Amino acid sequence: MKKIIAINGSPRRNGNTAELLKHALKGAEEVGAETELVHLYGLNFKGCTSCFYCKLKSKEHGTCAMKDDLSPVLEKVKAADALILGSPIYYMNITSGLMAFIERIFFSNYIYSAEIPTVFPKKLPCAFFYTMNMTEKQFEYFKMPERLAMNEDFAGRIFQVKPKILCAYNTVQFSDYSKYESSIFNGDEKIAYREKIFPQLCEEAFNIGKNLVS
């Protein structure tokens, strides 16, 4: 049985990012895959400390020396058949939690060798899910595709498969905008947009999960 792991880089377990990831896992389950959703913000871990253990000639490459709550997750990713990384966009980038995960998984499987671009044990189909408050036009204006492309490019190099991308724009942050200082937004318009668009995104996420393991 194939296994797919989804990494939730949002602090919220039931927010926009988590909802899309859950739909993707349902799609994978429909074709018989075993699934697991990992909430990073429920774990005690930190990013790479640049100890260079993973680069030592005397050690097995691809192993992060740090021992914390993330260590077993990294091993599960190596054993998985597909991976989805999900994150809201905070201050024009993915969350610090997902960035720390990326540091640990990418750097430990990359060595300073022109002949060996990756020591990850196999090709791993993967995807990035992004959720954000900005509109699609703002996403392009602030050159977000270029900002996020570096992680996507490294994922392709490390996992040896070009990642699939899903973007959820103009997401709803509050159930009641009147309770928050948020005058730059029209809460009613955002909620109406979500009701129209988000079900389509959930269906797209479902199909991505299904296709990653089929």
Side-chain angles (χ1 to χ4, degrees), residues 14-80:
N14 297 296
N16 298 305
T17 305
E19 187 170 349
L20 290 176
L21 292 174
K22 289 173 184 177
H23 275 84
L25 295 183
K26 287 180 181 177
E29 289 169 359
E30 186 176 88
V31 291
E34 179 184 350
T35 66
E36 182 175 356
L37 177 58
V38 176
H39 298 284
L40 287 182
Y41 280 81
L43 306 179
N44 183 14
F45 73 100
K46 56 186 176 182
C48 175
T49 59
S50 194
C51 70
F52 296 113
Y53 176 92
C54 59
K55 308 291 180 281
L56 287 170
K57 291 183 177 180
S58 60
K59 302 296 181 181
E60 180 183 358
H61 295 312
T63 301
C64 178
M66 297 175 66
K67 302 300 179 186
D68 53 23
D69 289 356
L70 192 62
S71 302
V73 177
L74 298 179
E75 292 304 310
K76 287 181 179 181
V77 170
K78 285 185 179 182

Side-chain angles (χ1 to χ4, degrees), residues 69-133:
D69 289 356
L70 192 62
S71 302
V73 177
L74 298 179
E75 292 304 310
K76 287 181 179 181
V77 170
K78 285 185 179 182
D81 298 292
L83 173 69
I84 306 176
L85 306 175
S87 176
I89 299 299
Y90 290 168
Y91 285 96
M92 304 297 176
N93 212 332
I94 59 175
T95 62
S96 58
L98 186 61
M99 192 67 240
F101 171 86
I102 283 177
E103 289 177 1
R104 295 275 294 277
I105 190 71
F106 285 7
F107 194 59
S108 62
N109 284 282
Y110 166 78
I111 59 176
Y112 298 135
S113 168
E115 294 77 26
I116 308 172
T118 179
V119 294
F120 196 79
K122 59 185 176 182
K123 292 183 178 182
L124 185 70
C126 60
F128 282 89
F129 286 5
Y130 305 118
T131 62
M132 66 204 78
N133 192 39

Side-chain angles (χ1 to χ4, degrees), residues 162-211:
K162 183 179 180 180
K164 298 179 182 298
I165 309 298
L166 176 62
C167 292
Y169 308 106
N170 198 26
T171 54
V172 172
Q173 294 174 293
F174 321 116
S175 58
D176 184 352
Y177 275 76
S178 67
K179 293 182 179 180
Y180 299 88
E181 187 56 61
S182 56
S183 58
I184 64 172
F185 305 118
N186 184 314
D188 292 338
E189 288 183 359
K190 289 179 74 68
I191 291 171
Y193 178 86
R194 175 190 169 86
E195 291 176 350
K196 177 182 178 181
I197 300 299
F198 206 75
Q200 300 174 23
L201 294 171
C202 290
E203 183 177 357
E204 188 173 344
F206 181 93
N207 288 329
I208 288 175
K210 186 176 180 179
N211 292 333

